[in-house]
Amino acid sequence: MFSFFSKFKKKPLERNSAFYYRENQIQNVDDLKTVFNKKVSVLTKHPILYQGLTLDKILAVEREKQFAEESFMLDHNEVIPGHFIFFYKKSVEKYALLMQLHFINNTFIFANTKVGSESIVSDKDKQKISDQLLHHYPDVVVPYNTFEYEFMDTQGNIISTRDHIYLYISYYANNPAVEKIKQLSENIISAKFSRNEGADKLDKFI
């Protein structure tokens, strides 16, 4: 079982808190399993960075120092034990960035950046953003005007992009601390599944 000693301070819900619930990229245990089981074949020899940090250096105890105070903190503990998401809103040039950092039991596991704009994010915008991202990974070859791709570094950290009106950039952490969280979560999911096996099914009553 998990042992949680989270020291995250709760903030009062904002009026637009439903917005952050909708934007959460890990809504349930199936989403969590997808994150933990992510596999890619394209390899870069350059370490994957998030805002200049290798993913194993994103630490709960250093979070505010590393990223400043969050715009909103989502306590998702009732759905996934120990799960907290920190959201940040930034305006950079003409782009609106919504960033989310996911921690389980104080361990960073996943980040996502949604790139928006006051108007529609054009293919030209997406190309500019992709060019800037891939500048850090010159050995990753992506066809021009392609905005969906994924690759990993030699430590198994992954970047994956999704083009759906907005451009989404996801970062998957892989290190011993994350592996431990993965194993613990699998135990929790298995135990929950076993308990539900004996649950009543709807077709018994109709």
Side-chain angles (χ1 to χ4, degrees), residues 9 11 63-72 86-90:
K9 56 183 182 295
K11 294 185 176 182
R63 183 188 52 79
E64 284 199 26
K65 184 185 298 183
Q66 292 172 333
F67 302 103
E69 185 176 8
E70 71 275 7
S71 302
F72 185 77
F86 296 86
F87 290 88
Y88 300 83
K89 284 184 172 181
K90 300 289 183 184

Side-chain angles (χ1 to χ4, degrees), residues 2 26-37 76 78-81 83 104 185-186 188-190 192-193 196:
F2 278 118
I26 304 180
Q27 292 278 346
N28 50 51
V29 293
D30 287 334
D31 292 339
L32 181 63
K33 287 167 67 177
T34 298
V35 167
F36 282 147
N37 294 327
H76 203 224
E78 291 187 3
V79 179
I80 298 174
H83 188 204
I104 293 182
S185 69
E186 287 176 349
I188 292 290
I189 293 167
S190 297
K192 188 174 294 187
F193 178 79
N196 289 339

